[in-house]
Amino acid sequence: MITELYPDDREGYYYYGLYFAYLKGDHKKAISLFQKARDLSPEYYPTYRDMAYSINAQYGIDEAIDLLQEYIRTYADGPGVAYARKTIAELRGVEAE
């Protein structure tokens, strides 16, 4: 497995998480892989987006939105903030501002 060969590489954990989330439907496993990817590269927004989708599927919308709001608070000047707001709006089923 790629994560064994490159344990310090965010991409391996992130893409393995995508596999579990979108191909296997195992959101619990996906969340744990996304968390590892986030630990390795905490500012990388796509990890938060896909983890939020899995959290929504596993635990509900409130927890997913909490994660994205945490990203916005932590990286207020980061390039992913606009996308985080758009994802929150999408989860709520409303148009992004």
Side-chain angles (χ1 to χ4, degrees):
M1 155 180 1
I2 194 73
T3 55
E4 292 172 0
L5 292 172
Y6 303 101
D8 295 329
D9 184 12
R10 162 196 84 205
E11 299 297 316
Y13 293 99
Y14 175 66
Y15 285 107
Y16 202 34
L18 292 175
Y19 166 78
F20 276 98
Y22 298 109
L23 297 177
K24 290 292 192 178
D26 185 346
H27 295 286
K28 191 171 186 176
K29 176 71 174 176
I31 291 165
S32 71
L33 291 162
F34 291 142
Q35 286 171 331
K36 180 63 176 171
R38 180 185 62 180
D39 291 345
L40 292 169
S41 189
E43 73 288 346
Y44 186 61
Y45 174 71
T47 303
Y48 285 82
R49 177 198 58 219
D50 292 300
M51 186 167 22
Y53 291 148
S54 284
I55 287 172
N56 183 38
Q58 187 74 27
Y59 303 108
I61 192 171
D62 292 335
E63 288 83 356
I65 290 173
D66 287 347
L67 174 73
L68 294 169
Q69 288 174 334
E70 171 192 330
Y71 177 86
I72 292 168
R73 282 189 304 274
T74 304
Y75 303 103
D77 296 328
V81 171
Y83 296 111
R85 288 189 177 112
K86 183 176 179 181
T87 304
I88 289 170
E90 176 187 310
L91 288 168
R92 290 180 173 154
V94 298
E95 291 290 320
E97 298 172 5

